[in-house]
Amino acid sequence: MNDLVTTAIQAARPSYDGQGVKLITRLAPGLPSLLADPDRLGQVLAGVLSNALRHTPPGGQVTTSTGKTGPDVEITISDTGEGIAAEHLPHIFERFYRADAARDRAHGGSGIGLTIARALITAHGGTLTAASDGPGTGTRFTITLPGSANSG
């Protein structure tokens, strides 16, 4: 898992550097193995990291950390960006939903990235959740995947 996260961070770093957003990584040692498709998990990480960058202003930061909760593996991507209002939070994984009505496809993505990310994580037996204390407080996405002892 840590290798997968490291690869995603390395791929994202040039974009972060170019926009003046600090990218921090905290990897926990000794994580259990996962029975998972590394390409699909890489796609999810790339999408969430891209989303975090899009909503974090220059001078902000995004922290990606790995850890273990019981037998499960967690990846958390937290940003110091715009945050999400409480009324929008339950809907951000819906197809074509945009919390900011002023954003269109040319300025904020297609509105399906988080829907696809959640579907891919669910297909791996995991969960993808989002939390924010509201506008101006940043957002935290948490991916939880079963360790290999739970898979199958």
Side-chain angles (χ1 to χ4, degrees), residues 4 6 12 14 21 25-26 53 67 73-74 81 88 96 101 111 113 141 144 151:
L4 187 62
T6 298
V21 175
T25 308
R26 295 187 178 120
L53 177 60
V73 175
E74 276 190 358
H88 296 296
F96 307 119
F141 286 89
T144 304
S151 298

Side-chain angles (χ1 to χ4, degrees), residues 31-43:
L31 295 178
S33 300
L34 297 178
L35 294 176
D37 181 335
D39 292 332
R40 297 293 71 86
L41 293 183
Q43 178 183 351

Side-chain angles (χ1 to χ4, degrees), residues 55-56 78-84 131-140:
H55 295 283
T56 303
S78 302
D79 66 56
T80 60
E82 299 168 3
I84 302 171
S132 176
D133 291 331
T137 64
T139 304
R140 181 177 62 258

Side-chain angles (χ1 to χ4, degrees), residues 22-94:
K22 188 173 183 180
L23 188 54
I24 299 168
T25 308
R26 295 187 178 120
L27 304 176
L31 295 178
S33 300
L34 297 178
L35 294 176
D37 181 335
D39 292 332
R40 297 293 71 86
L41 293 183
Q43 178 183 351
V44 170
L45 290 172
V48 175
L49 285 166
S50 176
N51 197 55
L53 177 60
R54 186 169 38 251
H55 295 283
T56 303
Q61 72 180 36
V62 173
T63 303
T64 302
S65 57
T66 61
K68 191 175 160 193
T69 302
D72 297 334
V73 175
E74 276 190 358
I75 304 166
T76 303
I77 299 173
S78 302
D79 66 56
T80 60
E82 299 168 3
I84 302 171
E87 66 267 20
H88 296 296
L89 207 50
H91 305 288
I92 64 167
F93 294 104
E94 295 173 8

